Amino acid sequence: QVQLVESGGGLVQAGGSLRLSCAPSGTIFRSSVMGWYRQIPGIPGKRRELVAVIATNGNTNYGDFVKGRFIITRDNAKMTVNLQMKSLEPEDTAAYYCSAVDGSNVYWGNGTLVTVSS
């Protein structure tokens, strides 16, 4: 069973930076589109929204709210995907979930909480 191990969440002040990392188990990394999504707590019906994804060829796509503040990268040697976040705002407070899409299979991590204080 594939597991996505996330790390790097925590508490940061507004304007600060955090780096999230995700490493999938098994051998799916090289063939997967890797990404990060987030879910803001306390809003009924709020769905997870795209933060950033990176394809196997390195192409990236970001959510509109990112506005150049976050960068997603993948390290094929270490088989990890990283999300460098800067200029964090209280509105970025959310649970951040790593995802891996390998063909028709979609895998999710358990989430890591990012809290940005004002």
Side-chain angles (χ1 to χ4, degrees):
Q1 183 176 357
V2 174
Q3 292 183 322
L4 303 183
V5 180
E6 301 145 328
S7 61
L11 174 65
V12 65
Q13 288 187 332
S17 300
L18 277 177
R19 185 173 182 261
L20 306 183
S21 293
C22 173
S25 64
T27 59
I28 68 165
F29 179 83
R30 293 186 185 276
S31 58
S32 293
V33 176
M34 301 297 301
W36 290 93
Y37 290 75
R38 72 182 190 182
Q39 189 163 19
I40 297 174
I43 302 178
K46 180 72 173 180
R47 301 176 66 179
R48 290 180 187 179
E49 60 180 349
L50 169 70
V51 179
V53 292
I54 184 166
T56 55
N57 63 4
N59 287 346
T60 58
N61 190 30
Y62 293 90
D64 290 341
F65 65 89
V66 170
K67 298 180 181 177
R69 299 179 299 135
F70 302 171
I71 299 175
I72 188 170
T73 57
R74 64 190 296 155
D75 186 329
N76 290 330
K78 296 181 179 179
M79 293 194 290
T80 59
V81 61
N82 303 302
L83 182 69
Q84 180 67 48
M85 306 186 291
K86 65 178 183 180
S87 301
L88 285 161
E89 304 165 350
E91 293 75 19
D92 295 314
T93 295
Y96 285 71
Y97 295 89
C98 179
S99 74
V101 179
D102 180 23
S104 59
N105 298 312
V106 182
Y107 305 97
W108 292 97
N110 290 328
T112 184
L113 186 61
V114 171
T115 303
V116 184
S117 63
S118 57

